[in-house]
Amino acid sequence: MYNLSYHKEHNKQRIKEFIEQFPFAYLSGCDGKNMPVATQLPLLLEERNGKKIIRGHMMKNTGHHKAFVQNENVLVVFAGRHTYVSGTWYSNPHLPSTWNYMSVHAKGVIKFLDDDALIDILRLTTLHFENYNRESTTIFDNVSPEFKNRVMHMIVAFEIEVKEMDTVFKLSQDRDSKSYRNIIAKLKEQSEDQQVIASEMEKRFTEVFPNDTNRTGMDYHPKEVKKIIVADNSDEV
């Protein structure tokens, strides 16, 4: 992902909430022959003994299961809302358009677990996504023993110890305040994804522009971005 400091999210609580909001992640890696593999899975993040652990389960003996057995190094991508941003919305419309999006990348080491751990993760996962409603007929403890016996030998639990976590919350932080406000207004006129991005931009306005233009009467770039914006257009489409 782009390593641009002004597109990073450093608030740990926001990152945690983002992962909880978008748990259906891409799990990718390479097999023993260095061929790429990827799958999408519902994953849960937890803190344990000062370490970040991602937990989940997958079908056994599939291509990606075999690949992760051969190569334990994996990448998990939690991807959120995203939207096209037209350059015509900028205060200077003669600039390339771009794409705003939010994403968290976690690199780590995967370890496959035993049947007891599988029961634990299935119980946790079903409760979590059923909002901890223990009366739900679909949580692990309420599913019939016959069904469990038929399918549990086909799946396997795993944990990923996160070694590195990085973020890109690319929300037009490199634009001037007039452009930033106009992008928000344009996105609010569109569908749900665009409105969500607009809302995220609004939350960060005072962080991105500590000198509010309504008070100064001037367009303002954050100091860090101002030094970079002319030289670095690598985030543009």
Side-chain angles (χ1 to χ4, degrees), residues 165-179:
M165 185 172 283
D166 202 359
T167 67
V168 169
F169 281 39
K170 184 178 176 297
L171 300 168
S172 296
Q173 297 97 323
D174 54 342
R175 301 268 70 91
D176 60 85
S177 61
K178 180 179 178 181
S179 298

Side-chain angles (χ1 to χ4, degrees), residues 11 15 17 54 64 73 81 125 133 148 166 173 177 190 199 213 218:
N11 185 301
I15 296 171
E17 291 172 355
I54 294 173
H64 50 263
N73 297 295
R81 309 283 185 151
T125 301
N133 174 16
K148 293 175 188 175
D166 202 359
Q173 297 97 323
S177 61
Q190 300 180 53
S199 176
T213 57
M218 298 174 62

Side-chain angles (χ1 to χ4, degrees), residues 105-146:
H105 288 199
K107 295 178 182 178
V109 175
I110 193 169
K111 177 176 67 174
F112 291 99
L113 308 173
D114 61 21
D115 289 343
D116 289 339
L118 177 59
I119 291 172
D120 183 55
I121 192 61
L122 291 176
R123 181 175 286 123
L124 175 65
T125 301
T126 55
L127 274 171
H128 177 83
F129 290 109
E130 285 294 307
N131 298 313
Y132 292 89
N133 174 16
R134 295 185 180 276
E135 303 302 314
S136 171
T137 57
T138 194
I139 65 171
F140 179 80
D141 289 331
N142 294 339
V143 173
S144 71
E146 293 78 14

Side-chain angles (χ1 to χ4, degrees), residues 183-235:
I183 293 167
I184 291 173
K186 294 293 186 181
L187 293 178
K188 282 185 171 182
E189 297 172 354
Q190 300 180 53
S191 61
E192 183 179 359
D193 281 3
Q194 287 75 26
Q195 291 173 20
V196 169
I197 293 294
S199 176
E200 292 293 333
M201 291 177 65
E202 281 185 316
K203 291 177 187 177
R204 292 163 172 78
F205 185 86
T206 56
E207 298 174 19
V208 179
F209 303 101
N211 295 344
D212 191 331
T213 57
N214 283 336
R215 282 177 262 147
T216 65
M218 298 174 62
D219 289 332
Y220 174 81
H221 286 85
K223 291 181 180 178
E224 181 180 14
V225 176
K226 197 170 185 178
K227 295 176 183 177
I228 300 173
I229 188 170
V230 174
D232 189 343
N233 289 318
S234 61
D235 62 315

